[in-house]
Amino acid sequence: MSSYFSHPSVDPVDLEVFRNRCAAIAEEMGAALGRSALSANIKERRDFSCALFDAQGRMVAQAAHIPVHLGAMPRSVEAALAQFTLAAGDVVLLNDPYLGGTHLPDLTTVAPVYAGPTLVGYTATRAHHADVGGMTPGSMPMSREVYQEGLIIPPTLLARGGVPDEAIIRLICRNSRTPDERRGDLAAQLACHRVGAQRLAELAERHGPAWVAQRMDALLAYGERHMRAVIAAVPDGTYAFEDVLDNDGVNPDPLIICVRIDIRGDGAIVDFEGTAPQCRGPLNAPRAVTESAVLYCFRCLGPPDMPLSAGAFAPLDIRIPSGSILAPNPPAAVAGGNVETAQRVVDVVFGALAQALPDRIPAASAGTMNNWTFGGMTADGTPFAYYETLGGGMGARPTLPGLSGVQVHMTNTLNTPVEALERQFPLIVRRYGLRRGSGGMGRTRGGDGLVREVEFRAPVTVSLLTERRVYAPYGLHGGAAGLRGRNVMLRNGEERLLPGKTTIEMYPGDVLRIETPGGGGFGSS
């Protein structure tokens, strides 16, 4: 395993101030992106992430955005820098899931930061665009290969010397059902890079590029030291666990995910041998997504202010079978791997760690992002497309109940307010609230899921990509499982239970009700 320990010493107080300044730059980038974006998914739901990287492309700081984005983003930065030597004002765009991307709607942009002639570092953003083409509106289809999911973008120069490439922007917009949104959201990503570049360049111009580089090296070592301390606090041993995904949306059989964690001193081997081979449906998770989920789990064992840099990966030896659902070979479909399979990776890693730390690890949370997308045409011929994830129940904690109706683990987005939904799209929200009693019983109870019920006022194509509809979120130490989720269509007063993964045509007056899973309970009641 690599190490970042070889670096000049930096005063701890000085380093802490520098760490927070870098995190503040990433946060300010996010604020600029959210304020200036056009789509509801980015503006309202905050489905984006921002981070800073050093001159070698190693992540040194991030905003408190979306874990699955941030843990996988370094692979995209690595791919971008392998393709281009970037000058001031250049911006690389990519979304290829086999080059560090998560799924195609997540467009990643990478830009260099210079102080005079000296490269200081890079800024990176990842934002979920509500439609990038593909089989169905929202670009989260029941696909069987990645080509069906939308436009695949390898590392491509979106801007040169500060000037956006209009041909590239037109190409992306032409492949989207909502081109105006794509143009607006891409402009927002470019704008937030200018904010990040200005702030980081100001820091380098004030103190010197060498001063910044020294502290970035120290942050990498600092992140490694913290992660090694976290792992050292876990008792040595081997801990194994397995759980399943309901199905891949094509075949009805469950997909097993196995993990074995070997803790030895301040290092950990996380081995997924025995996990199901890659599947026909869109539940394959790119390797970077799986790595991101593992990093998230171990980071959760640390204190709230634990720094997270590329150094945190150093103590983790993550072994993933090639050709499995956790490291598929192209052209496997991956739309749901980022949002659903990543959640189950968290469940199995925490299930294993619960054996080592029974008084710290919570029961399983909802275990799904409850993805739903819809799109169509308004009466005047204007296209629309929408994507949303829904919260669920948090797993019960050893001494506290789980929270209800929250986004858990690998997601960290907001919901879209009812007012915004009804203003922008032809629908009425008939119900939105907690699914009372859906949390598992136990000494401490699991949190309750949500109910979202909408009535459409125009013909729409709806896609559902949801999990925990067959296999419930597990309880721990005698706690009961949380209730499974349910997807229901109401048409002409009759209820029809929908599969967890499906695409369906709905018409004016039809109602879609999504009931999300509750969290598992903890301990015997």
Side-chain angles (χ1 to χ4, degrees), residues 177 375-384 426 458-460:
R177 296 169 177 84
M377 293 277 189
T378 61
D380 64 2
T382 303
F384 61 87
V460 294

Side-chain angles (χ1 to χ4, degrees), residues 82-232:
Q83 187 71 31
F84 297 103
T85 299
L86 299 176
D90 291 351
V91 180
V92 176
L93 171 71
L94 71 157
N95 71 349
D96 192 333
Y98 294 97
L99 291 175
T102 41
H103 54 186
L104 297 185
D106 286 340
L107 300 190
T108 300
T109 52
V110 182
V113 178
Y114 283 86
T118 305
L119 176 66
V120 179
Y122 298 89
T123 55
T125 74
R126 178 165 286 173
H128 186 118
H129 288 244
D131 189 277
V132 292
M135 294 168 62
T136 58
S139 307
M140 296 285 285
M142 299 301 106
S143 49
R144 301 193 185 192
E145 57 181 2
V146 70
Y147 304 113
Q148 297 174 319
E149 297 175 356
L151 181 65
I152 304 171
I153 307 171
T156 302
L157 279 176
L158 179 64
R160 302 169 186 261
V163 180
D165 189 325
E166 183 60 28
I168 296 297
I169 294 173
R170 285 199 305 271
L171 175 66
I172 295 166
C173 292
R174 185 66 182 87
N175 280 273
S176 173
R177 296 169 177 84
T178 48
D180 290 343
E181 279 190 0
R182 300 293 69 71
R183 182 175 290 276
D185 290 346
L186 283 170
Q189 284 184 267
L190 289 171
C192 89
H193 278 294
R194 291 192 287 272
V195 171
Q198 180 180 348
R199 295 292 181 260
L200 187 55
E202 287 172 353
L203 194 60
E205 289 163 359
R206 178 175 180 181
H207 298 282
W211 182 92
V212 171
Q214 183 188 50
R215 278 146 188 79
M216 286 184 169
D217 283 345
L219 279 181
L220 294 168
Y222 190 38
E224 180 178 346
R225 287 199 303 274
H226 267 267
M227 184 58 78
R228 290 198 181 279
V230 164
I231 296 172

Side-chain angles (χ1 to χ4, degrees), residues 24 54 78 88 98 103 107 163-164 237 274 277 289 329 335 362 365 376 383-385 392 401 437 459 461 499 504 513:
D54 73 358
E78 179 182 308
Y98 294 97
H103 54 186
L107 300 190
V163 180
V289 168
N329 297 317
S365 295
F384 61 87
T461 301
I504 187 169
R513 184 170 71 238

